[in-house]
């Protein structure tokens, strides 16, 4: 019988690097029934603070879930189908941005890479208020994931 390679756990540094290289992942929150709710989200990873940040609107179901149960996880696929990272922790949704340029609005603006920020920052901040945007901040307590070393 042929011995196949087994998945190997990734180091904390490798997992953090994977989170930093990607911008989209699948966020899991907990429904009242206990079942997971999954949604694809753009995110921002702060490796020093070990915090993930997401932008969403106040009326989204994930915000209601987090206000009831803050446990969450983010799954990020690796560079191939054999690797992934999962970040687990507790997440808190901010209050909505209510005044263009308030602290929440500035935090949301900071989530956008500098090269992609809007030219009209004031108009963007007004749009965030109109959309009732919030920041979800997830403090990461646990990182795990694997990679399978295979050729092809």
């Amino acid at each position: 019988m042929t011995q196949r390679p087994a998945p190997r756990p990734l180091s904390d540094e490798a997992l953090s690097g994977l989170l930093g290289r990607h911008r989209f992942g699948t966020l899991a929150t907990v429904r009242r029934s206990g079942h997971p709710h999954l949604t694809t989200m753009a995110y921002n990873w702060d490796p020093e603070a070990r915090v993930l940040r997401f932008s969403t609107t106040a009326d989204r179901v994930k915000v209601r879930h987090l206000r009831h149960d803050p446990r969450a996880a983010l799954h990020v696929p690796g560079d191939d189908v054999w690797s992934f990272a999962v970040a687990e922790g507790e997440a808190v949704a901010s209050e909505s941005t209510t005044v263009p340029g308030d602290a929440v609005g500035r935090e949301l603006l900071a989530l956008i890479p500098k090269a992609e920020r809007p030219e009209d920052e004031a108009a963007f901040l007004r749009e965030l208020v109109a959309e009732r945007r919030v920041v979800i901040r997830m403090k990461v307590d646990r990182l795990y994931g694997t990679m399978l070393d295979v050729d092809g």
Side-chain angles (χ1 to χ4, degrees), residues 35-111:
H35 293 92
H37 173 265
L38 305 173
T39 186
T40 301
M41 296 285 295
Y43 69 89
N44 176 281
W45 170 236
D46 180 343
E48 288 79 33
R50 290 181 69 91
V51 172
L52 288 160
R53 287 183 174 83
F54 309 86
S55 170
T56 193
T57 57
D59 60 341
R60 298 290 181 165
V61 69
K62 65 186 134 297
V63 172
R64 287 195 307 273
H65 292 162
L66 291 171
R67 294 200 197 285
H68 178 258
D69 185 336
R71 293 176 298 165
L74 179 73
H75 175 273
V76 176
D79 299 327
D80 57 61
V81 299
W82 306 110
S83 61
F84 68 94
V86 174
E88 292 181 341
E90 292 197 354
V92 175
S94 72
E95 295 302 317
S96 300
T97 179
T98 57
V99 176
D102 63 11
V104 173
R106 291 278 167 204
E107 188 175 359
L108 289 162
L109 180 63
L111 297 181

Side-chain angles (χ1 to χ4, degrees), residues 14-37:
L15 292 163
S16 182
L18 197 154
L19 287 174
R21 282 194 307 279
H22 296 276
R23 291 182 48 196
F24 291 91
T26 303
L27 179 66
T29 58
V30 182
R31 298 174 192 253
R32 285 188 187 264
S33 69
H35 293 92
H37 173 265

Side-chain angles (χ1 to χ4, degrees), residues 52 72-74 86-90 138-144:
L52 288 160
L74 179 73
V86 174
E88 292 181 341
E90 292 197 354
M138 185 172 122
K139 179 67 176 161
V140 175
D141 300 322
R142 180 174 179 231
L143 282 175
Y144 64 92

